[in-house]
Amino acid sequence: MKTWKIALLGLGTVGSGVMTILHTHATRIEKQAGVKFEVVGVLVRDVKKPRRVKVKRELLTTEIETIWEKNPEIVIDAMGGISPALGYIEQAIERKCHVVSANKEMIAAYGTHLHRLADKNGVSLLYEASVGGGIPILNALSQLLKANRITRVYGILNGTTNYILTKMEEEGLTYQEALEQAQEFGFAEADPTADVEGYDAFNKIQIIANLCFGPDTPVLEQEREGIASITGEEMKVCEKLAYRIKLLASAERTDAGCCLRVVPTLVPYAHPLSGVKNECNGVFITGDVVGDVSFTGKGAGALPTGSAIVEDMLNIVRGWTFTPDKEGLMREDVEQSTGVEKVVLAFFTFSKQTNDSQKIRLISFLSGGEGFLHAVETVSSGSEVHVAAVISNPDVYALKALADDLQAELKLRPVLDERLSAAREDAAVLVK
């Protein structure tokens, strides 16, 4: 039975999960794959640091050259960050090592470069763990790309923000209270910026877009907004409208390129993503042949992420690698639009001292021809009144101008609700 020599770069949460699985599932792996995996070296910052998992002292080193002296066949990047990880992975590929990475920041920024380097050296590059933890999103996409042209991928890609929003809704916590609870339970870092400002989710959706649409497809639009501005009043008004707020990441093929977004979005109770709560992730994939495919599960943690890495190791044994879509844009893309209708929630915040004439002007505006009005709800809190309107095809500039004129704060949130298109069409038929 062949034994594959493994080098592990990093022994934190992810690296410990990999070592645990290789210890506890060694017999199963041998039976299923017909191979053995032997860890021949582990790169760490401090060899004396207490570990979550038992590792032989002689395997630990702080020097990358010691790792190369072991002649590994597969190198696992469980370090995170770009420096020094990128340099180590470049060296590994040039040494003809296959690479498995959980490093979302590096793959988002340098994935195209690393793919070209891997192709040049005839080795595999796999990074399932960089996006969905234990959810096999990238492997599913990689298989679907053989028969489908992926047109859209969207979902919840960050467990920290999903946990915070769940606690704000279900327990009435403020954003700060929910964040502190997430930190206490280990779902958020001491510095939560990458999660709560949307950087983590944006890296993940960028990796997905590069795989689905190819690195040469132009990015026409990109938007990133985190969850720090979401308030309890927004949660309450969304509840009245039968929506939940989720931080959704989306990559969509359009007429001439692709659009990438990570923004707080209203999701109807009827949509499966509405029920994805706490630290779980959920992703929808749309292909031109298969239609919609969905995945849910734990998107982080030592064992789920470690599981994704070990599965990638097994896929390397099978001779697999990720291959970004090479078609790019085709003629049918230029001639055919996705047809997705823009729907927003316009959330106005007024002082309770606002006079009736200003409120009447707002209602008159919303009832007028500036988009198609689906629903309006209000909530009060302290010295403020909040008016929320769900509108299709709104005149955003007119909404902002009105808010300025009325001295009201305005937030615009996208709405993920395909039912509204049908409602508008039905209304148009009645008018005729």
Side-chain angles (χ1 to χ4, degrees), residues 9 64 152 175 213 223 236 260 266 306 315 371 385 393 420:
L9 310 186
I64 191 65
R152 187 185 186 197
Y175 165 76
F213 309 141
E223 182 180 1
K236 291 175 184 177
L260 306 180
L266 273 70
N315 286 338
V385 176
N393 290 338
L420 301 186

Side-chain angles (χ1 to χ4, degrees), residues 104-117:
K104 64 186 76 69
E105 185 179 359
M106 182 187 72
I107 297 297
Y110 293 96
T112 299
H113 160 67
L114 293 175
H115 268 294
R116 289 170 179 162
L117 192 61

Side-chain angles (χ1 to χ4, degrees), residues 161-162 164-169 172-179 195-197 225-238 244-248 262-266 345 347 349 386 409 411-414:
T161 52
N162 203 43
I164 292 171
L165 294 176
T166 300
K167 295 305 176 183
M168 288 177 68
E169 178 192 5
L173 302 183
T174 65
Y175 165 76
Q176 189 60 39
E177 289 170 340
L179 171 58
D195 293 318
V196 300
E197 295 297 333
E225 180 184 349
I227 64 169
S229 65
I230 297 173
T231 64
E233 289 72 31
E234 282 187 81
M235 291 283 188
K236 291 175 184 177
V237 82
C238 285
R244 287 193 173 98
I245 300 180
K246 297 291 187 181
L247 186 68
L248 289 196
V262 174
V263 292
T265 302
L266 273 70
L345 175 83
F347 187 78
T349 298
H386 309 275
E409 179 187 347
K411 296 178 186 177
L412 295 174
R413 307 289 193 203

Side-chain angles (χ1 to χ4, degrees), residues 142-164:
S142 182
Q143 296 305 306
L144 288 172
L145 288 171
K146 293 178 173 61
N148 284 258
R149 303 192 69 248
I150 305 301
T151 57
R152 187 185 186 197
V153 180
Y154 67 95
I156 300 164
L157 292 178
N158 183 270
T160 299
T161 52
N162 203 43
Y163 179 89
I164 292 171

